[in-house]
């Protein structure tokens, strides 16, 4: 990522109305200490080349902390919306920059401090509450709290307002990603309808939000094995984001097209999509997305009969997810490592990895992943010739998929094929 210059932050001081030369004449002693601290954090802190996104945003976080002590809401808003570059062409406001770089815990801490410091004042803090909910949605242990807060925001906001539409959309996204498909799809479609009928339909924020909604609808179609519909929706998302200049948000749908190609057995096309996505993630120095795409490239290598190469990529992704404390990604990698062990005929290790994946997915509330890991255990026990446990986990996995509402003929055939090839035949499978 490109650097953030001190001269740029000097301009930020002007936007904040802070003049270092006249601070002593215009501030009380307590205010003076805080404002001097803000000046130092924003303009006198030297960053080394190649500093992480966390290091690059530390000065803004500390400045926000000092402004919270001063209860300066207007200045807090200016820093939250401070534009930070991710490459020479794309910049994001601070709060989006944090989410993009897997720094949701930093955003959660910032939003909570703002809400606490300004409690009791007559400021409209719904925007900060929404940031808090989005940050909680991106962490692994506060998904239920995020759902509750998003529902509260939706219910208390006026119909047709941006916050009303956004809170409903983010609620639907949270539900779809955690496997609550029925409620999530209803909320996403409702949010899409409200967005189209609102006075804000042509604003940049709502246009971008609509692409997020479509992306999550595509994710559901993919998980329901409606691959043509999913591919069409992902193509639509990419086209809309290109029109809007949201090039940093093309990596996700592009990689998912690769995932779909892999699921239908077109491994060369899958590799093309995923390598293109990885290249784009590398160009904008998005380490978290490089880690995620590498994980899915490992699946392609496994499908093509290269479990040892797949293992190398999987271990790379595990290290990356551990760095970001991404339990969701780690649970996916544990499952993948289990499948790699199956390919290497190491059934005990496979079972251990599948169990670890299942435990993590239960902990974070990933219902779809829980169903997948349950069926993985059926495979492991079958290969260990423990047929009673295999049948138990098989039936339990089918029941979990049924409860999710996505146990259709296509998925049943694919799961049956997966079991047959892993047990008897060629390991070039799809899942």
């Amino acid at each position: 990522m490109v650097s953030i210059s001190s001269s740029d932050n000097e301009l930020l001081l002007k936007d904040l109305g802070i003049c270092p030369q006249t601070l002593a004449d215009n501030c009380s002693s307590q205010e003076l200490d805080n404002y001097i601290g803000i000046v130092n954090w924003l303009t006198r802190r030297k960053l080394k080349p190649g500093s992480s996104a966390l290091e690059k945003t530390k000065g803004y976080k500390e400045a926000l902390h000092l402004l919270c002590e001063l209860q300066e809401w207007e200045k807090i808003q200016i820093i939250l919306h401070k534009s930070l570059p991710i490459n020479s062409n794309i910049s994001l406001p601070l709060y989006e920059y944090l989410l993009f770089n897997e720094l949701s815990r930093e955003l959660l801490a910032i939003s909570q401090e703002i809400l606490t410091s300004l409690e009791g004042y007559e400021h409209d803090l719904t925007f900060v509450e929404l940031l808090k909910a989005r940050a909680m949605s991106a962490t692994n242990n506060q998904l239920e709290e995020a759902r509750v807060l998003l529902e509260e925001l939706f219910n208390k906001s006026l119909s047709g307002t941006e916050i009303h539409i956004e809170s409903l959309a983010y609620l639907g996204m949270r539900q779809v990603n955690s496997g609550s498909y029925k409620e999530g799809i209803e909320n996403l479609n409702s949010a899409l309808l409200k967005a189209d009928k609102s006075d804000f339909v042509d604003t940049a924020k709502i246009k971008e939000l609509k692409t997020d909604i479509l992306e999550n609808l595509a994710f559901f179609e993919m998980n329901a094995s409606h691959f043509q519909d999913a591919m069409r929706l992902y193509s639509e998302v990419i086209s809309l984001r290109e029109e809007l200049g949201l090039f940093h948000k093309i990596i996700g749908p592009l990689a998912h097209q690769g995932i779909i190609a892999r699921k239908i057995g077109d491994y060369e096309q899958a590799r093309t999509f995923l390598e293109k996505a990885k290249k784009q993630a590398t160009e904008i120095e998005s380490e978290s997305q490089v880690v995620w795409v590498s994980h899915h490239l490992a699946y392609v290598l496994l499908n093509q009969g290269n479990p040892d190469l797949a293992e190398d990529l999987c271990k790379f992704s595990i290290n990356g997810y551990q760095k970001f404390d991404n339990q969701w990604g780690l649970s996916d990698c544990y499952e993948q490592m289990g499948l790699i062990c199956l390919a290497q005929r190491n059934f005990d290790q496979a079972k251990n990895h599948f169990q670890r994946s299942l435990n993590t997915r239960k902990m974070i509330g990933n219902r779809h992943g829980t169903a997948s890991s349950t069926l993985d255990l059926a495979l492991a026990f079958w290969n260990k010739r423990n047929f009673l446990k295999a049948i138990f986990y098989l039936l339990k996995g089918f029941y979990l998929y049924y409860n999710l509402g996505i146990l259709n003929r296509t998925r049943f055939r694919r799961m049956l094929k997966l079991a047959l090839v892993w047990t008897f035949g060629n390991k070039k499978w799809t899942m």
Side-chain angles (χ1 to χ4, degrees):
M1 297 178 187
V2 296
S3 61
I4 302 166
S5 67
S6 57
S7 60
D8 190 41
N9 283 337
E10 287 172 359
L11 292 175
L12 175 59
L13 287 180
K14 290 184 178 180
D15 292 336
L16 293 169
I18 299 175
C19 178
Q21 291 76 23
T22 60
L23 282 176
D25 299 326
N26 299 317
C27 301
S28 66
S29 58
Q30 181 179 356
E31 290 175 334
L32 182 61
D33 288 340
N34 282 49
Y35 280 123
I36 289 175
I38 292 169
V39 171
N40 289 338
W41 277 111
L42 292 182
T43 63
R44 297 179 185 175
R45 184 166 174 264
K46 302 299 181 183
L47 289 172
K48 297 178 181 179
S51 295
S52 67
L54 179 62
E55 280 297 309
K56 290 178 180 179
T57 54
K58 186 175 182 179
Y60 302 108
K61 180 182 178 182
E62 295 297 334
L64 283 169
H65 167 69
L66 294 169
L67 288 172
C68 282
E69 290 187 344
L70 294 169
Q71 298 173 326
E72 291 275 10
W73 171 228
E74 290 77 13
K75 291 181 173 64
I76 288 170
Q77 292 180 82
I78 291 172
I79 293 187
L80 283 176
H81 287 86
K82 166 63 180 170
S83 184
L84 305 180
I86 59 174
N87 67 11
S88 58
N89 298 314
I90 303 171
S91 296
L92 301 174
L94 174 62
Y95 59 90
E96 293 288 358
Y97 186 92
L98 290 168
L99 287 169
F100 180 76
N101 286 289
E102 299 277 336
L103 296 174
S104 54
R105 285 180 175 77
E106 299 296 310
L107 180 59
L108 179 57
I110 289 169
S111 57
Q112 184 58 64
E113 184 174 17
I114 294 171
L115 292 170
T116 300
S117 67
L118 296 177
E119 186 177 7
Y121 285 76
E122 294 184 359
H123 304 303
D124 182 3
L125 301 177
T126 51
F127 168 69
V128 182
E129 290 180 289
L130 183 62
L131 292 185
K132 179 182 176 181
R134 291 180 64 189
M136 287 194 297
S137 292
T139 62
N140 302 302
N141 57 355
Q142 293 185 285
L143 300 182
E144 180 61 19
E145 293 94 328
R147 182 191 65 78
V148 171
L149 180 52
L150 286 166
E151 287 181 345
E152 289 177 355
L153 284 170
F154 174 71
N155 290 328
K156 76 178 183 180
S157 56
L158 293 175
S159 180
T161 59
E162 283 187 314
I163 198 75
H164 187 76
I165 298 167
E166 286 181 279
S167 56
L168 181 60
Y170 286 119
L171 174 62
M173 294 175 205
R174 179 66 272 148
Q175 291 167 323
V176 166
N177 278 277
S178 61
S180 298
Y181 293 123
K182 185 177 183 297
E183 302 92 333
I185 294 302
E186 288 177 357
N187 286 330
L188 287 177
N189 283 322
S190 178
L192 198 59
L193 185 63
K194 289 176 181 290
D196 285 334
K197 291 183 176 181
S198 77
D199 295 335
F200 307 98
V201 64
D202 292 323
T203 63
K205 180 185 288 187
I206 294 300
K207 285 181 177 180
E208 180 176 354
L209 183 67
K210 287 173 67 175
T211 71
D212 294 338
I213 294 172
L214 291 173
E215 184 175 19
N216 280 266
L217 291 173
F219 181 75
F220 165 73
E221 297 294 352
M222 181 185 74
N223 284 338
S225 301
H226 303 152
F227 297 129
Q228 288 186 343
D229 291 336
M231 190 70 82
R232 174 184 54 79
L233 281 169
Y234 279 127
S235 293
E236 184 178 351
V237 171
I238 290 171
S239 178
L240 288 171
R241 286 178 176 170
E242 286 176 342
E243 290 177 14
L244 295 170
L246 301 170
F247 298 106
H248 64 293
K249 297 183 73 170
I250 291 174
I251 298 165
L254 183 61
H256 275 107
Q257 287 186 316
I259 294 169
I260 293 170
R262 177 181 62 78
K263 287 177 180 289
I264 62 178
D266 191 346
Y267 303 136
E268 290 304 319
Q269 185 64 52
R271 197 162 182 169
T272 298
F273 279 126
L274 288 164
E275 287 180 346
K276 183 177 180 181
K278 187 174 181 179
K279 180 182 178 183
Q280 292 189 11
T282 302
E283 287 175 351
I284 61 173
E285 299 180 31
S286 176
E287 186 179 355
S288 61
Q289 291 192 311
V290 170
V291 166
W292 174 66
V293 177
S294 296
H295 163 65
H296 288 287
L297 272 171
Y299 269 125
V300 177
L301 291 171
L302 186 57
N303 292 152
Q304 292 179 319
N306 298 304
D308 293 340
L309 293 177
E311 184 176 7
D312 290 339
L313 268 186
C314 184
K315 288 179 177 178
F316 167 80
S317 294
I318 287 174
N319 290 333
Y321 285 134
Q322 287 174 337
K323 177 179 178 179
F324 292 110
D325 191 24
N326 185 334
Q327 296 299 316
W328 201 285
L330 282 171
S331 70
D332 291 345
C333 282
Y334 298 148
E335 178 182 46
Q336 184 177 72
M337 192 62 77
L339 292 167
I340 290 169
C341 288
L342 278 187
Q344 296 167 337
R345 315 304 289 173
N346 190 340
F347 302 132
D348 287 328
Q349 282 297 319
K351 179 184 75 68
N352 292 339
H353 286 302
F354 291 147
Q355 187 64 59
R356 191 174 186 184
S357 175
L358 177 62
N359 294 343
T360 305
R361 285 168 165 174
K362 283 182 176 179
M363 179 188 71
I364 63 178
N366 181 352
R367 296 172 62 203
H368 189 129
T370 297
S372 180
S373 293
T374 302
L375 285 181
D376 292 333
L377 280 171
L379 271 178
F381 280 115
W382 186 272
N383 279 281
K384 284 170 61 67
R385 306 188 69 79
N386 191 333
F387 301 123
L388 287 178
K389 279 194 173 181
I391 293 171
F392 169 77
Y393 281 106
L394 179 70
L395 295 176
K396 186 175 181 180
F398 283 155
Y399 177 73
L400 292 172
Y401 273 115
Y402 173 78
N403 277 345
L404 289 171
I406 57 174
L407 183 60
N408 51 37
R409 290 182 179 180
T410 301
R411 177 169 291 280
F412 183 82
R413 285 196 301 268
R414 287 178 58 245
M415 289 191 294
L416 181 61
K417 178 183 176 183
L418 174 64
L420 289 173
V421 297
W422 271 113
T423 306
F424 300 110
N426 188 349
K427 301 304 181 291
K428 296 181 180 181
W429 47 270
T430 59
M431 71 172 290

